[in-house]
Amino acid sequence: MSVPSPARSAAPPSPTGASRRRTLGLALAGASVVGVAGWGALRFASSGPEVAPAIEYRTIDGRRLGPDALAGRVLLVNFWATSCAVCVAEMPELTEVYEAYRSRGLELVAVAMPYDRADRVLHFASSRRLPFPVALDPLGAAVAAWGGVEGTPTTWLVAPDGRVVRRWVGRPDFARLRRDVEGLLPGRAT
């Protein structure tokens, strides 16, 4: 006894190389738009913690900066990467802010992303003479503690009582950042 074979529909014609490339290009463009739209929604939905996590940062010079060392200070935590053009471009402005306010109680910790190689981070920090602590996060513990980093740079501003005051994804508005830092610091500049 024979089993009837299922009806077969005619297969669509095989696309040409140009047609396949065009189809792939349109699919990638669509995925990019969805990705950007999805990132934007994620950017506003996931703002990170309301209070700075009590974690220890390991700096490139071997120091450990823990909650006790940072308590009572205005804190900027900047997640960055040596491969991030915006991160590299903002470092001189971060340096200016740090140098303007560190004597009044500002601390800044620049945390390199887990995928950034330690030798590149060390070279970058030393060649640019960054005056603030630069930390490595090879296992992503700091990234996880802050609730994830959707893009670099990401910068958090923390009040002396540990409250997260503001978060920037991308280059901060440095005029706003300065006003916010000024408002959190005691006394006037000397």
Side-chain angles (χ1 to χ4, degrees), residues 85-102:
V86 175
C87 302
V88 170
E90 79 175 6
M91 282 298 172
E93 288 179 280
L94 285 172
T95 297
E96 287 176 14
V97 168
Y98 179 70
E99 291 188 337
Y101 297 110
R102 75 175 168 182

Side-chain angles (χ1 to χ4, degrees), residues 80-82 112-124 136:
W80 68 288
T82 58
M113 292 299 290
Y115 54 80
D116 217 342
R117 288 183 15 201
D119 61 325
R120 289 184 180 164
V121 174
L122 290 164
H123 175 73
F124 183 92
L136 298 173

Side-chain angles (χ1 to χ4, degrees), residues 16-76:
T16 64
S19 174
R20 275 187 293 218
R21 284 190 298 278
R22 185 172 42 255
T23 302
L24 179 60
L26 291 173
L28 290 175
S32 295
V33 170
V34 169
V36 169
W39 180 82
L42 180 64
R43 178 179 181 183
F44 296 107
S46 165
S47 60
E50 292 180 15
V51 176
I55 60 174
E56 184 174 84
Y57 301 95
R58 296 290 310 257
T59 66
I60 58 175
D61 61 359
R63 291 184 298 145
R64 293 175 184 228
L65 283 177
D68 291 342
L70 300 171
R73 301 183 66 123
V74 174
L75 176 64
L76 281 172

Side-chain angles (χ1 to χ4, degrees), residues 153-174:
T154 295
T155 306
W156 275 274
L157 174 62
V158 180
D161 64 2
R163 284 177 304 110
V164 173
V165 175
R166 189 163 318 282
R167 177 184 72 123
W168 290 271
V169 177
R171 182 186 178 280
D173 172 346
F174 277 94

Side-chain angles (χ1 to χ4, degrees), residues 142-157:
V143 168
W146 281 94
V149 174
E150 295 129 17
T152 54
T154 295
T155 306
W156 275 274
L157 174 62

